[in-house]
Amino acid sequence: STIRFASNDTTIPEPPLPPPLPEISDVQVLGEPTLESIGLGGWGPVGLIQKSLDFLHITCDLPWWGSIVVGTIVVRMLMFPLVIIAQRNAAKMHNILPGLQVLQLKMSEARERGDKLDAARNAQEMMLFMREKGINPLKNMLVPFAQAPLFISFFLGLRGMANHPVESMKEGGLYWFMDLTVPDQFYLLPIITSATLAVTIEMGTDSARLNSANLGLMKYFLRAMPFIIFPFTIGFPSGILVYWASSNFISLIQVSLLRIPVIREFFKIEKLIIHDKTKLPIKDKGFVKSVSDSWTNMKITRELEERQRIDEINFMKAGRGAVKKTFKFDPTQKGSSDRITTLQAKKR
């Protein structure tokens, strides 16, 4: 028998080419792809945060959790001078609180009775009073204003790295949160984040103390904040919560250190005067009473604004509309003078 072949061509085909290797520029020292090669990085605020964390991870050979913690420490240290400025201003404002509240009370009373001139006069007097004492309420907002864009940049940067994801972050955690790209399945990081935030708020934020009498309703909102954010933090990637918890711990350390008299004296922060709350012009009304008074003041302000709007409309109508007739006979018309004389004679 004979064997038949499908073809007389006995040429052996060439072996297939191997897949292309990544370019050298797409691979870093540790063999990890660069952020740019996976669509991250950039020169915006978020991209710079990602590059900084990647630099700490690659160049300093830190695990990802260590890079996040070190990056947080560096940023908070750069913001420390603003914390000192805010603390100095808050201490001065606290110490002159009785005089400040007297002016605030006068201004509030003037607004409630609709006396804008007196309210403006009291506001000007309060500004001069604060300028004389060397305080500025805006200085208390330096830390929040500076920290807000940084927090947002860290949040968006770490979320982008977790969602993409950066593969090495899946093993860049610690203990129970080894994978930084997924939420903490044991909920410990959300609990730690909320707890440290609550303790920091109770001890005093970076720019004010919670027991200050001039915070008003704000202190109740601050106390509720840890409970408000907790349900949201449950779904955040662990990398974000590592940053947030680290930032809270740093705030807690700063607040604790700045309560020590020697350190306060070194940074020229005034010693806080303990005011008798019963003798302050503005009493602590409690949460329910404060909300009720705020709602009442809002209604009064709205009514005054509505009244002013109606007065302006009536004034415009009176100025642009026809002249309102306030006499029986038009003295400009012919024969009206005779009728007026006859009418006057009848009255006599």
Side-chain angles (χ1 to χ4, degrees), residues 217-234:
L217 284 175
M218 181 60 67
K219 61 184 177 182
Y220 298 106
F221 173 75
L222 291 174
R223 282 183 173 139
M225 188 181 296
F227 302 97
I228 295 174
I229 67 170
F230 179 74
F232 300 97
T233 57
I234 291 176

Side-chain angles (χ1 to χ4, degrees), residues 166-178:
V166 176
E167 292 296 330
S168 57
M169 290 185 67
K170 293 182 177 181
E171 299 178 354
L174 187 68
Y175 300 130
W176 73 93
F177 56 95
M178 285 300 299

